[in-house]
Amino acid sequence: MTGSSGSLHDLADKALRLAAVAVPDASWPDEQIIVTVVELLRTHSHAREDDVNAFIDAIAFNWLIAGPDAHAKNYSLLIGGGPRVRLAPLYDIASILPYDDIDPHKVKLSMKIGGEYRLRDIGLSEWQKLAREVRMDADALIDRIAAMAGQLPDELSTVCARARGEGLDQPIIERLAGRIAERARACGKTVT
């Protein structure tokens, strides 16, 4: 399968080249990961601003839910024929909040936000710094994060009710939802 620009071989080659840019060797400075992925999306995505916003929103969402496993390798690109590259739907999202033996104040994210890893050290100034680093409007980013934080408790209630309706009624679900809602409210205050 070689020859045409849309062949499987060409797509695989392009995917490997993009992966080499997105996930370089271990010596790559951590503070550049988010910036580099944003630039990758701006350069190669078919829907640049949508994908950049979705990626940054995912970073914010993982901060809100205390999701420490959102490293660069947990984000993927969908590569279609021609220049059609998109950020893939999110996957492998998990929160540490339902676990009593983990202190959220000691938890670090996988990628730095404004130079900080620790959840407790990330606030308004770190998000503003990240906005500058990725060349986004800081006020617009802060507004999006605050809106997400404000919507999260209601969305969690809806999801929990649906889960109960489908027979998924485990105590950990309510504990997770309650703790995420509490953290989302606290984070919302942090950025406003």
Side-chain angles (χ1 to χ4, degrees):
M1 300 188 82
T2 59
S4 70
S5 64
S7 72
L8 182 60
H9 173 77
D10 291 339
L11 293 176
D13 181 61
K14 191 174 194 179
L16 290 173
R17 289 175 197 229
L18 291 173
V21 172
V23 187
D25 65 35
S27 65
W28 196 31
D30 291 333
E31 57 274 354
Q32 293 180 0
I33 292 174
I34 293 174
V35 173
T36 302
V37 172
V38 166
E39 289 309 312
L40 170 80
L41 292 170
R42 283 190 176 131
T43 302
H44 297 286
S45 174
H46 179 67
R48 290 169 174 82
E49 289 312 306
D50 289 345
D51 283 350
V52 167
N53 287 335
F55 176 67
I56 296 298
D57 287 352
I59 301 297
F61 182 76
N62 277 288
W63 174 67
L64 291 171
I65 69 163
D69 193 40
H71 50 79
K73 292 180 184 179
N74 277 355
Y75 296 92
S76 295
L77 299 175
L78 300 174
I79 302 174
R84 300 188 67 82
V85 175
R86 291 297 312 267
L87 182 67
L90 300 179
Y91 59 91
D92 197 11
I93 300 170
S95 172
I96 55 89
L97 293 176
Y99 305 104
D100 293 327
D101 59 335
I102 299 174
D103 181 354
H105 296 295
K106 294 181 180 179
V107 172
K108 293 180 179 179
L109 296 176
S110 295
M111 293 188 275
K112 286 183 177 180
I113 296 172
E116 297 293 340
Y117 280 119
R118 286 193 194 277
L119 289 173
R120 71 172 183 225
D121 296 334
I122 299 168
L124 178 61
S125 63
E126 288 70 33
W127 284 108
Q128 290 169 330
K129 181 179 178 186
L130 178 66
R132 287 189 303 275
E133 291 169 348
V134 298
R135 297 180 289 121
M136 294 181 90
D137 180 275
D139 292 336
L141 175 58
I142 299 305
D143 288 347
R144 285 202 337 259
I145 295 169
M148 193 183 309
Q151 294 168 350
L152 200 48
D154 290 339
E155 293 294 331
L156 286 166
S157 294
T158 301
V159 169
C160 286
R162 187 175 17 179
R164 280 191 303 277
E166 294 175 1
L168 193 61
D169 194 18
Q170 300 296 318
I172 195 168
I173 295 171
E174 290 298 326
R175 185 168 61 240
L176 173 63
R179 290 179 182 177
I180 288 176
E182 181 180 321
R183 177 164 167 77
R185 284 189 281 274
C187 289
K189 291 176 184 174
T190 300
V191 296
T192 55

